[in-house]
């Protein structure tokens, strides 16, 4: 099953859209479900628009580390005996003993990427890489009163369009890079999500003055990287706050990422949910690991001592305007202290300005009208991560990501993916069993009701 064109005509129990860690973890959970009911395995297929597996490749910078324990891998919290655990990967890589000797809960991002690639390679028979899902449409089976199926339309790199049918889809398309309004990226103006490929396309000697905008982890890591890699360059860090704020990863605060915190958030009052964000936003959002903060401050201090200053922090400062002309980029900085403006000429400008969360409406298009929203206009989501739909639609659309409003702070993170994908897999199996008890399966389908 290498290309979407060769996909079978069968009706899949679930089609996954995106094959990042979330849906990879779902594939693992389904595989382990399948192992427990070999006679009647859950059938699945996944589409990934990247040509091969990749997890934020453009931010796999030297010495960057994971912000979660290695035990929060694709499977361990759901199934500590899984063959897809990080420990199994270390064992397969002949590194388990050395990893333990190293006494570090937080692997480098490079090593975690290797782990994810290794796990993805073990499940590659159910993934179409280089294939982007472009539409999802409901389908009603003959004699049925509700649309119990979904058509998933996908386009490969050659423009070939294929359509598969599924009883459920799992949308895990990830975060969406955010640039300030009016700014577009090009070969000199980059978002952090494209950082390494943009940087590697440049001649470093031509980068004599660079600026990094943002006060989060990616901004700090890129600032450190540029300072290391461009020893001849001026590096300017533009941050809206007075200084970087530290990420709170202490044990009590870390409980907000526990699997049980999802129930507390989901079933909690509005006040409780608001308290999660008010007190614990600093566990992940716009914050930086303390070792990176200290490393950067040490550099600033060393340059003060030596008198050779090339790392410049503009705090309480925002970007007001970006002007592009050929290789030159002029950025207008506005100080929040006195509203004064200053123009800076740079050879490269990096916006580490974060991401918007997954919005399923982008992909659902017209099909989104079957899904209910709350008073604030947000999608209503069941505890099992299924979008709440109108009675006309009985197929399931599951979200992995984009559920911060319903399921809490870990929604876009790795912390809970093992347990979450187990819950999604359980829900798919349970609903299949209920459906089979209600009526026999039919292989024929009729066109979309949309
Ligand atoms: C630099 C960086 C470091 C991070 N580090 C951590 C960390 O240490 N710990 C942590 O908990 N979280 C971390 N995060 C948060 C991050 O969201 C998760 O690590 C993780 O990527 C979530 O997995 P995902 O599968 O939901 O999304 P993604 O990893 O974004 O994967 C989504 C996939 O869907 C594909 N896709 C999108 N649209 C389509 C489509 N229409 N058709 C087909 N495929 C599509 C994309 O190509 C992508 O591969 C980090 C984020 C960044 C940016």
């Amino acid at each position: 099953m290498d290309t979407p064109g060769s996909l079978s005509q069968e009706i899949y129990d679930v089609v996954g859209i995106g094959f990042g860690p979330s849906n990879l973890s779902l594939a693992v959970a389904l595989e382990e479900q399948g192992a427990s009911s070999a006679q009647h395995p859950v059938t699945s297929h996944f589409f990934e628009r990247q040509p091969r597996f990749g997890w934020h490749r453009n931010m796999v910078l030297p010495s960057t580390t994971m912000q979660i324990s290695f035990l929060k891998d694709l499977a361990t919290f759901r199934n500590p005996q899984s063959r897809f655990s990080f420990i199994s990967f270390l064992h397969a890589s002949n590194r388990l003993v050395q990893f333990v000797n190293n006494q570090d809960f937080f692997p480098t991002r490079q090593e975690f990427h290797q782990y994810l690639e290794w796990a993805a390679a073990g499940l590659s028979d159910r993934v179409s890489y280089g294939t982007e899902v472009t539409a999802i449409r409901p389908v009603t089976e003959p004699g049925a009163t509700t649309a119990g199926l979904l058509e998933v339309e996908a386009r490969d790199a050659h423009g070939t369009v294929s359509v598969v049918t599924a009883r459920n889809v799992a949308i895990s398309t990830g975060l969406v890079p955010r640039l300030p309004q009016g700014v577009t990226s090009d070969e000199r103006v980059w978002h952090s999500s494209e950082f390494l490929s943009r940087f590697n396309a440049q001649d470093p000697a031509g980068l004599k003055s660079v600026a990094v905008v943002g006060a989060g982890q990616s901004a700090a890591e890129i600032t450190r990287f540029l300072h290391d890699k461009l020893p001849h360059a001026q590096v300017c860090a533009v941050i809206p706050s007075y200084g970087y704020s530290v990420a709170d990863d202490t044990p009590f605060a870390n409980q907000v990422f526990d699997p049980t915190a999802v129930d507390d958030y989901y079933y909690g009052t509005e006040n409780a949910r608001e308290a999660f964000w008010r007190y614990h936003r600093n566990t992940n959002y716009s914050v930086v690991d303390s070792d990176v903060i200290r490393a950067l401050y040490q550099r600033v201090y060393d340059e003060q001592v030596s008198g050779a200053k090339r790392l410049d922090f503009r705090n309480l400062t925002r970007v007001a305007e970006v002007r592009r002309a050929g290789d030159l980029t002029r950025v207008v900085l506005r100080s929040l202290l006195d509203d004064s403006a200053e123009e800076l000429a740079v050879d490269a400008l990096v916006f580490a300005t974060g991401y918007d969360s997954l919005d399923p409406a982008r992909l659902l298009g017209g099909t989104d009208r079957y899904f209910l929203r709350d008073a604030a206009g947000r999608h209503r989501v069941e505890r099992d991560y299924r979008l709440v739909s109108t009675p006309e639609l009985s197929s399931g659309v599951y979200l992995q990501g984009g559920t911060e409003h319903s399921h809490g702070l870990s929604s876009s993170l790795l912390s809970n993916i093992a347990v979450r994908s187990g819950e999604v897999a359980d829900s798919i199996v349970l609903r299949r069993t209920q459906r089979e008890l209600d009526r026999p399966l039919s292989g024929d389908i009729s066109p979309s009701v949309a």
Side-chain angles (χ1 to χ4, degrees), residues 56-181:
H56 303 301
R57 276 181 190 276
N58 282 316
M59 283 300 294
V60 182
L61 307 180
S63 23
T64 51
T65 56
M66 296 302 294
Q67 293 176 285
I68 48 160
S69 154
F70 68 95
L71 292 168
K72 293 188 176 182
D73 59 20
L74 297 165
T76 298
F77 273 22
R78 176 183 53 76
N79 175 16
Q81 293 172 328
S82 171
R83 69 182 173 92
F84 291 96
S85 69
F86 189 79
I87 289 179
S88 294
F89 157 74
L90 289 173
H91 186 256
S93 311
N94 266 329
R95 240 181 9 242
L96 181 55
V97 172
Q98 292 82 350
F99 183 85
V100 173
N101 284 342
N102 201 37
Q103 297 183 20
D104 194 340
F105 256 46
F106 304 95
T108 61
R109 225 178 277 153
Q110 182 190 21
E111 185 172 28
F112 207 76
H113 198 284
Q114 287 175 4
Y115 157 62
L116 294 172
E117 276 183 305
W118 168 85
L123 296 162
S124 59
D125 59 339
R126 66 215 65 181
V127 190
S128 296
Y129 286 104
T131 308
E132 178 164 10
V133 170
T134 48
I136 302 170
R137 290 183 290 268
V139 177
T140 307
E141 289 174 276
T145 51
T146 63
L149 299 174
L150 294 162
E151 268 182 2
V152 178
E153 187 180 284
R155 182 177 293 121
D156 70 14
H158 310 290
T160 308
V161 174
S162 57
V163 175
V164 296
T165 310
R167 299 202 180 277
N168 303 282
V169 300
I171 302 180
S172 309
T173 47
L175 300 165
V176 182
R178 187 198 307 136
L179 283 166
Q181 220 178 359

Side-chain angles (χ1 to χ4, degrees), residues 203-251:
D203 173 5
L207 299 176
K208 297 191 178 69
S209 170
V210 294
V212 183
V213 183
Q217 181 74 16
S218 292
E221 286 174 356
I222 290 172
T223 302
R224 182 178 62 175
F225 175 90
L226 291 172
H227 192 253
D228 280 341
K229 295 287 172 186
L230 304 174
H232 53 281
Q234 292 294 316
V235 179
C236 176
V238 180
I239 59 177
S241 54
Y242 205 71
Y244 297 122
S245 293
V246 71
D248 184 352
D249 66 346
T250 51

Side-chain angles (χ1 to χ4, degrees), residues 17-23 47-50 54-56 59 65-68 109 131-134 172-175 218 221 355 363 400-401 412-415 420:
I17 304 170
F19 201 61
S22 297
N23 264 349
F47 291 103
E48 168 54 53
R49 69 180 171 197
Q50 296 186 77
W55 174 66
H56 303 301
M59 283 300 294
T65 56
M66 296 302 294
Q67 293 176 285
I68 48 160
R109 225 178 277 153
T131 308
E132 178 164 10
V133 170
T134 48
S172 309
T173 47
L175 300 165
S218 292
E221 286 174 356
Y355 295 81
L363 200 57
Q400 296 219 76
S412 67
L413 304 177
L414 301 173
S415 328
R420 180 177 66 195

Side-chain angles (χ1 to χ4, degrees), residues 8-47:
S8 74
Q9 295 305 303
E10 75 174 284
I11 298 172
Y12 292 102
D13 287 310
V14 57
V15 162
I17 304 170
F19 201 61
S22 297
N23 264 349
L24 171 55
S25 177
L26 176 62
V28 170
L30 291 170
E31 173 76 5
E32 291 173 355
Q33 278 272 7
S36 57
S37 61
Q39 312 309 319
H40 193 9
V42 179
T43 55
S44 62
H45 194 76
F46 295 84
F47 291 103

Side-chain angles (χ1 to χ4, degrees), residues 98-390:
Q98 292 82 350
F99 183 85
V100 173
N101 284 342
N102 201 37
Q103 297 183 20
D104 194 340
F105 256 46
F106 304 95
T108 61
R109 225 178 277 153
Q110 182 190 21
E111 185 172 28
F112 207 76
H113 198 284
Q114 287 175 4
Y115 157 62
L116 294 172
E117 276 183 305
W118 168 85
L123 296 162
S124 59
D125 59 339
R126 66 215 65 181
V127 190
S128 296
Y129 286 104
T131 308
E132 178 164 10
V133 170
T134 48
I136 302 170
R137 290 183 290 268
V139 177
T140 307
E141 289 174 276
T145 51
T146 63
L149 299 174
L150 294 162
E151 268 182 2
V152 178
E153 187 180 284
R155 182 177 293 121
D156 70 14
H158 310 290
T160 308
V161 174
S162 57
V163 175
V164 296
T165 310
R167 299 202 180 277
N168 303 282
V169 300
I171 302 180
S172 309
T173 47
L175 300 165
V176 182
R178 187 198 307 136
L179 283 166
Q181 220 178 359
V183 174
T184 45
S185 77
D186 61 25
E187 65 282 1
R188 295 285 171 156
V189 177
W190 316 330
H191 185 268
S192 55
S193 59
E194 50 186 3
F195 178 69
L196 269 184
S197 48
R198 292 285 195 192
F199 178 81
N200 290 334
Q202 299 289 326
D203 173 5
L207 299 176
K208 297 191 178 69
S209 170
V210 294
V212 183
V213 183
Q217 181 74 16
S218 292
E221 286 174 356
I222 290 172
T223 302
R224 182 178 62 175
F225 175 90
L226 291 172
H227 192 253
D228 280 341
K229 295 287 172 186
L230 304 174
H232 53 281
Q234 292 294 316
V235 179
C236 176
V238 180
I239 59 177
S241 54
Y242 205 71
Y244 297 122
S245 293
V246 71
D248 184 352
D249 66 346
T250 51
F252 288 108
N254 226 292
Q255 294 178 124
V256 292
F257 301 120
D258 288 357
T260 50
V262 176
D263 277 336
D264 291 334
Y265 191 96
Y266 189 86
Y267 297 111
T269 60
E270 264 315 307
N271 280 344
R273 292 175 187 211
E274 199 263 323
F276 267 88
W277 288 104
R278 180 157 33 96
Y279 291 114
H280 301 296
R281 179 175 281 277
N282 68 341
T283 49
N284 181 58
Y285 297 83
S286 302
V287 286
V288 182
D289 286 347
S290 65
D291 56 333
V292 183
I293 295 177
R294 286 183 191 289
L296 281 171
Y297 197 85
Q298 182 69 50
R299 290 166 194 224
V300 172
Y301 185 74
D302 288 347
E303 289 185 1
Q304 277 177 3
V305 172
S306 69
K309 181 177 170 182
R310 59 183 197 88
L311 179 55
D312 185 18
F313 277 84
R314 305 291 175 95
N315 65 354
L316 292 177
T317 300
R318 287 188 179 276
V319 170
E321 198 184 338
V322 179
R323 294 194 204 119
R324 292 278 292 111
D327 281 352
L328 209 71
T329 303
R330 292 189 178 280
V331 53
V332 179
L333 302 178
R334 190 168 293 281
S335 166
L336 300 177
L337 270 178
D338 54 8
D339 211 33
S340 60
E342 179 199 356
E343 199 171 282
L344 198 70
V346 291
D347 301 306
L349 177 61
V350 190
F351 282 96
T353 40
Y355 295 81
D356 292 325
S357 65
L358 185 163
D359 177 5
R362 288 174 198 238
L363 200 57
L364 288 167
T367 306
D368 193 38
R369 68 191 153 97
Y370 292 97
F371 298 105
L372 304 183
R373 294 186 179 242
D374 65 16
R378 303 166 303 191
H379 282 103
R380 285 176 51 196
V381 193
E382 302 280 9
R383 175 61 184 81
D384 61 4
Y385 301 94
R386 197 162 39 90
L387 285 176
V388 180
S389 63
T390 62

